[in-house]
Amino acid sequence: MATARVPLVDYLVLEPEPHLVANECTNCGARFFDRRNACARCGSTDFKPVPVAGAGELRAFTIVHRAAPGIPVPFVSAIVKTDDGTWVRSNVVNCDPTPEAVELGMRVRLTTHPIGTDDDGTEAVAFGYEPA
Amino acid sequence: MTAQISPDSVWVLGAHMNRFARYADRDLIDLASESAMSALADGEVTVDDVDVLACGALFQASGAVGQRIQKQIGQTGVPVYNVANACATGATAIRTVIMAIKSGEAQIGLAVGAEQMGKMGLLGGGATKKEKKVFEPSGRYGAVTGVDGHLGTETMPGVFAQAGMAYAHDHDGVGFEQFARVAYKNHLHSTLNPLAQYQKEFSMDEIMESPMMSYPNTLLMCCPTGDGAAAVVLVSGERLASMPAHVRKRAVKVSASVLTSDPFTEDCQVQPDVNTLTRNAASQAYEAAGVGPEDLDLVELHDCFATAELIHYDNLRLCSPGGAGAFIDSGGPFRDGTTPVNVSGGLISKGHPIGATGVANVYEITTHLRGEAGDRQVEGATVGLAHVIGLASACGVHILEKAAA
Ligand SMILES: [Zn+2]
């Protein structure tokens, strides 16, 4: 039987190809990954879901060596600006967690990976960015 | 540049901070009460002269700390405001008192900031639910489990590391070494400050080779947790004018008191924007005070991490635009530089008991403008700026000026 899969967050859509979906303000174009009562930029209350580009640029990162218990370290935390101008926070994956391997401004692309399974056998899937 | 006493101005009349440390034998109320009473004595007034009290103790924000201080120093029945604004909590307490005085409701007010943290360790991050048995979406992002560590970091050393690296992305001449030099400077400065939690010099190598917390922030580039309290007594110009000459001489003018929050920016939903609100606060403060960054004799700014201090050189316009790396490399923010920054040792070495921090940096500036800072005195200081920022976000900036002789 196939393993059931759920995305770690609801703005990650797994099928048919993994991608992120943002709530875009129809008035000013500001994008949010969470539910907003009104747009933080213009106050409009009308939003539409839009797909977010999978490729982008690494705009900031840190290599985390100390984290809360249960979080494997080191890992690379990243701020990515996608090619359609959307800002995303995630990890850089499939890349050595060293200052030599991670480069500010490098090209990255969205990828997904499983992070655990619950008692019903459902697998949670997270997204990250890998060097492109 | 020295200030005259106009009736509608506001002045620091008394100030105190205790040494930031870890106090096993005293509780938060002891620390706060000691600072409050000392600040009143320093201003040569008593609790009966105080018209309003504002108090900030972030981790006990719902604990009526202001009223509990009154139980120790005098229950006079005046209004108490218990305020909370992340790491800008202390500055918010000061600003609350200033607003009360400016409104005419109070002539003399007391602002107290205090915190007892002990060894709290790493702040931020990991505030996740217990690992769920069943993955079910919850919250505004529909997360099925904690995202810290999976979708970036929520730890404070990491969040501020990214803020520094974003600056490094946009500007030349900024890297690990520049961030480390900020910490080198502040540890060096703290050796002259008996009130600092740590008073030890470290070499660049020791700083760069100390345990990595969140690249580029090593342990010696992060502020410690600790206990401490600070208090200031504020007075209207009208009331100050009737006080004895020796009291007026030690009073320090509040030339600007500004509090901002973070306006919308494109990236603010994924990384706290600590820049725009600081830039806005600085601009408003310079305009209100009628001084520019080039007039400042010293600055106490919010160096919770070395990466944070470096970007605030630019945000407060202490360096040329984009030139924060060159500024630290040139020695500009050192004690003997063009604009001494954090001669107290800063949060990195003086310590950061959160509620106390925004009051302690006003104490520090006040002490220099009075010429009472001992070994660490910035000679001839007449104008200084105190800055704090709390994530979420809140930024407080106060510009202080020495009284005319
Ligand atoms: Zn909008």
Side-chain angles (χ1 to χ4, degrees):
Chain A
M1 135 185 151
T3 309
R5 301 195 311 159
V6 291
L8 172 58
V9 285
D10 62 10
Y11 59 91
L12 169 64
V13 175
L14 298 175
E15 304 293 345
E17 287 298 319
H19 65 284
L20 305 183
V21 173
N23 297 314
E24 186 176 277
C25 172
T26 57
N27 181 52
C28 77
R31 290 181 168 190
F32 307 95
F33 287 119
D34 57 342
R35 170 171 64 81
R36 297 285 168 128
N37 298 68
C39 175
R41 178 156 69 187
C42 76
S44 164
T45 55
D46 192 38
F47 297 91
K48 66 172 188 221
V50 293
V52 174
E57 183 197 343
L58 183 66
R59 294 295 294 262
F61 73 90
T62 179
I63 304 166
V64 180
H65 289 258
R66 298 285 179 86
I71 295 174
V73 289
F75 69 91
V76 182
S77 171
I79 303 295
V80 170
K81 189 178 187 185
T82 63
D83 289 347
D84 55 8
T86 311
W87 291 84
V88 187
R89 194 187 76 185
S90 188
N91 291 0
V92 172
V93 296
N94 304 329
C95 179
D96 268 353
T98 63
E100 292 73 34
V102 188
E103 239 183 290
L104 284 172
M106 75 180 184
R107 298 286 306 164
V108 293
R109 65 173 168 242
L110 188 90
T111 180
T112 57
H113 55 277
I115 58 162
T117 305
D118 73 7
D119 289 351
D120 299 336
T122 301
E123 188 175 78
V125 178
F127 68 92
Y129 289 88
E130 61 185 4
Chain B
M1 177 179 298
T2 50
Q4 304 293 330
I5 302 176
S6 68
D8 60 351
S9 54
V10 178
W11 297 70
V12 176
L13 184 66
H16 178 267
M17 72 172 278
N18 55 30
R19 185 186 167 191
F20 289 174
R22 294 193 175 106
Y23 293 99
D25 57 337
R26 278 184 275 174
D27 66 16
L28 177 76
I29 304 302
D30 289 324
L31 296 171
S33 300
E34 175 194 307
S35 260
M37 288 191 289
S38 300
L40 291 167
D42 182 57
E44 300 190 25
V45 290
T46 72
V47 72
D48 291 318
D49 297 311
V50 172
D51 302 317
V52 61
L53 168 63
C55 177
L58 186 64
F59 288 107
Q60 293 199 29
S62 60
V65 172
Q67 286 86 342
R68 286 159 62 203
I69 292 169
Q70 286 183 307
K71 289 351 177 233
Q72 307 305 318
I73 71 170
Q75 286 177 257
T76 57
V78 301
V80 172
Y81 298 91
N82 292 294
V83 301
N85 228 347
C87 296
T89 292
T92 303
I94 289 178
R95 174 136 181 78
T96 301
V97 169
I98 289 170
M99 288 193 296
I101 293 172
K102 280 197 173 287
S103 76
E105 286 198 15
Q107 291 278 353
I108 294 178
L110 174 63
V112 184
E115 207 74 58
Q116 191 158 42
M117 304 167 78
K119 294 189 88 159
M120 278 182 78
L122 186 67
L123 295 194
T128 56
K129 322 144 200 182
K130 273 267 177 218
E131 198 60 30
K132 282 200 169 186
K133 300 255 189 236
V134 178
F135 289 142
E136 272 179 0
S138 70
R140 288 195 166 223
Y141 294 95
V144 300
T145 185
V147 302
D148 184 30
H150 295 301
L151 300 181
T153 185
E154 293 172 356
T155 62
M156 290 299 110
V159 167
F160 280 95
Q162 284 176 169
M165 293 297 274
Y167 188 83
H169 173 277
D170 295 341
H171 304 289
D172 291 335
V174 177
F176 188 34
E177 192 179 324
Q178 282 67 43
F179 294 126
R181 189 162 289 121
V182 168
Y184 168 76
K185 168 181 72 70
N186 291 353
H187 286 294
L188 179 66
H189 285 171
S190 73
T191 61
L192 297 175
N193 185 1
L195 300 175
Q197 185 166 345
Y198 297 104
Q199 297 162 32
K200 186 166 183 252
E201 182 182 352
F202 293 94
S203 69
M204 283 289 286
D205 283 348
E206 285 173 311
I207 290 165
M208 294 170 83
E209 287 161 19
S210 74
M212 184 58 73
M213 297 294 287
S214 203
Y215 180 87
N217 284 324
T218 66
L219 185 63
L220 287 172
M221 293 156 74
C222 299
C223 66
T225 60
D227 311 335
V232 294
V233 178
L234 294 141
V235 63
S236 68
E238 184 185 355
R239 180 70 180 272
L240 179 65
S242 68
M243 289 182 166
H246 71 278
V247 173
R248 293 201 307 269
K249 192 161 184 284
R250 289 181 73 245
V252 165
K253 187 185 176 193
V254 181
S255 297
S257 171
V258 174
L259 190 69
T260 56
S261 62
D262 49 331
F264 179 88
T265 52
E266 292 286 350
D267 59 336
C268 71
Q269 69 158 334
V270 297
Q271 60 177 349
D273 173 16
V274 298
N275 302 315
T276 312
L277 81 170
T278 296
R279 289 173 173 272
N280 289 351
S283 293
Q284 290 174 34
Y286 291 136
E287 172 152 9
V291 305
E294 66 284 356
D295 299 318
L296 301 174
D297 297 309
L298 77 160
V299 172
E300 289 285 308
L301 65 74
H302 203 73
D303 60 320
C304 45
F305 301 94
T307 46
E309 171 160 330
L310 191 105
I311 62 181
H312 291 317
Y313 295 153
D314 204 327
N315 291 329
L316 296 172
R317 308 207 306 259
L318 307 182
C319 62
S320 59
F327 184 58
I328 183 73
D329 283 345
S330 75
F334 282 72
R335 278 194 85 251
D336 56 357
T338 51
T339 310
V341 174
N342 289 331
V343 293
S344 67
L347 281 56
I348 286 176
S349 195
K350 181 179 69 175
H352 183 26
I354 294 177
T357 294
V359 183
N361 65 9
V362 167
Y363 164 85
E364 182 71 16
I365 301 286
T366 298
T367 303
H368 284 271
L369 299 186
R370 287 168 161 181
E372 297 174 359
D375 290 344
R376 68 186 187 284
Q377 176 71 39
V378 173
E379 289 306 325
T382 59
V383 189
L385 181 149
H387 158 266
V388 287
I389 185 167
L391 282 191
S393 298
C395 176
V397 169
H398 287 92
I399 294 178
L400 305 179
E401 281 182 82
K402 184 183 175 69

